[in-house]
Amino acid sequence: MLTLKNIHKTYTAGGTDVAALKGVSLNFRKSEFVAILGPSGCGKTTLLNIIGGLDRYSDGDLKIGGRSTKEFKDRDWDTYRNHSVGFVFQSYNLIPHQSVLRNVELALTLSGVSRAERRRRAKEALEKVGLGDQLHKKPAQMSGGQMQRVAIARALVNNPEILLADEPTGALDTATSVQIMEILKEIANERLIIMVTHNPELAEYYATRTVRLLDGEIVSDSNPYTEEWPAPEKPKKRKKEKHTSMSFFTALALSLNNLMTKKARTFLTSFAGSIGIIGIALILALSNGVQTYIDAVQEDTLSTYPLSIEAENVDMSSMLTTLTGMHSGESDHEKDRIYPNEVLYDLINTMNSLETDTNNLAAFKKYLDSNPEGLQDHVSAIRYGYGQSLSVFVKDPEGSIVQSDLNDLVARIMGADMEEMQSSIPMANMMSTTPAFSNGMQLWEEMLTDKDSGKLNPLLYEQYDLIHGSWPDA
Ligand code: ADP
Ligand code: MG
C-alpha cells in the first residue's frame, strides 16, 4: 500500500537547519496496526504528516499504491488526503459550535456526496464507534474519550484505506485509552492504521507491528515488510478517481451556518465594521461641510465688501507709514527754548501730497468682458458704476420736498455745504471716493443684475430678506 524510501525532512528555522527525519525507509501492508514509538522530538509527527500528505519530504520518495508521489500535483495530494487518508489527533480538533453529527458530516462535504447520503454515512460511522445515541450533542458536552471517538468516526466516514493517529490516547486515562484502542484494533482488520504513541504497553498489546524511532532514524521494526508493491499497470487507463469537490450551494450553506452559529460575533463584527464606515462618512461630511461654510462666509464677506477698483486710487498705506514715522527722534534740540509742534501741519501736508494712482478702467472693462481664464465662473457678479447718483425727492414731516440723499441730509444738519467741505478738506474727499465710506454715504444703490438676462443676480435673494413689496423683475 505505502512505501517510504530513504525519506529525509529538514526544517529551516531561524537560519539553522533541523533534520527531523534522516533517511526513513518503511514498507506497509494493506492492513495492519503499526505503532510508532519514540521520545518526544524524534520526528514521529513529522513522519505521520508526510505519510498523510500534510507535509512534503525534502528528499527520498513516498510511493502510494506503487505510484511515486514525486510528480504529484496539488490536486493529486488533495484527492489523496480526502479519499485515502483519515486523521485522528491528540487534541480531537472538533468544531465546537457544531453538533457531533455535523462534525462528522463536514468531513464529507469535500467529497461531493449528496446531503442525505452524507447524513446516512455520518450516522453509520458514529454508530460504529458507539455514539449512535449522542448525535446532537455539542463536543463540549462530551468526555475526552467520547470526543476522540467522534474524531475517529470523522476519520472513517470517507472509508479511507489508511488511518493516521497522532497520540490519540495522549490526553486520556487508561480505561478510556483501552476503549479507543479496542475500536482502532477492530478497524485495523480491514485497513492500515499507523499510530504514534507514547505508551509502549498499549502498543505492545494492540499493535501488530512496532516501529521505534530515535533522532529521525528507525532503530527497530518488530515486523518488517519487504515485498515490493507492484507499479500500477497502465496509469493512463486508471479508473477515474473522484476529485475533491464541493458544490457552490454547499459552500454557501456552510458559510451561512458558520455565521448564524456565531450570531453575537457576526453582529459585533458588522457593528465594528460599520463604525469604521460611519467614521469615514462623518469625516467626509465634516470636511465637506467646513468647505461649504468657508465658501458661504467668503461669498457673504465679498458681497458686503466687494473688490472694487476705482478710476482714482489713494495709497492709504503710504499715508499711514508717514503718520507713524512722524513722532520718532523728537528731542534733538536744545532744552531751553520753545519750539512749535508741527504735527498737525505735517498731517495736513501729508494728506495734500497723497499720491493718487489712475486706473485705465475702459481697458480693464474690455479685459473683463473678454472673460479671461473663465473668470465668469468664479465671480458672483460684476457691477460697473459711472459716478451717477439718483436724485430721489421725498416729503419731510412738514410737507416740504427734500432730496433723500445722505450728503444732503448731513449738510443740512450741520448747516454747511457738504460739497464745499469735500473740496476743501482732503479727508472728506477721500471718504467719498473710498468705496467702504462712499457706499455708506449713499441711500440709493443700484442692484446687482446679470449682464445677459438683465434679471436680478441670484446672490441678492440669498443676501437680503424681502420685508415688504416685491422684488423688481427688470
Ligand atoms: P515528535 O512528534 O516525535 O515529538 P516532531 O516530528 O514534532 O517530533 O519534531 C521533530 C523535530 O523537528 C523536532 O526537533 C522539532 O523541533 C522539529 N520540527 C518539527 N516541526 C518543525 C517546524 N515546522 N519547523 C522547524 N522545526 C520543526
Ligand atoms: Mg508529535
Side-chain angles (χ1 to χ4, degrees), residues 145-146 149 152 174-184 206:
Q146 286 175 317
R149 272 144 70 188
I152 292 173
T174 319
T176 323
S177 297
V178 168
Q179 287 177 10
I180 297 293
M181 293 307 281
E182 289 288 345
I183 293 171
L184 290 178
Y206 288 99

Side-chain angles (χ1 to χ4, degrees), residues 444-463:
W444 302 94
E445 208 176 317
E446 183 190 344
M447 289 180 124
L448 287 176
T449 46
D450 272 344
K451 197 179 66 163
D452 302 328
S453 60
K455 290 251 170 19
L456 287 188
N457 189 293
L459 193 61
L460 283 174
Y461 301 110
E462 287 168 27
Q463 302 288 319

Side-chain angles (χ1 to χ4, degrees), residues 303-304 306 383 390 439-440 442-448 464:
S303 61
T304 315
R383 191 177 68 189
L390 281 176
N439 281 352
Q442 280 172 18
L443 284 186
W444 302 94
E445 208 176 317
E446 183 190 344
M447 289 180 124
L448 287 176
Y464 294 94

Side-chain angles (χ1 to χ4, degrees), residues 239-273:
K239 198 177 75 189
K240 207 182 162 201
E241 275 174 8
K242 234 186 183 174
H243 276 296
T244 306
S245 67
M246 188 199 284
S247 75
F248 174 72
F249 182 76
T250 310
L252 197 70
L254 263 177
S255 327
L256 209 65
N257 191 294
N258 267 322
L259 286 181
M260 290 317 288
T261 41
K262 294 178 177 170
K263 282 187 208 79
R265 205 189 61 181
T266 307
F267 171 74
L268 282 178
T269 313
S270 328
F271 183 65

Side-chain angles (χ1 to χ4, degrees), residues 39-46 49 90 166-167 196 198:
S40 181
C42 70
K44 305 182 297 292
T45 299
T46 307
N49 286 348
Q90 180 182 343
D166 195 353
E167 307 196 29
V196 165
H198 259 122

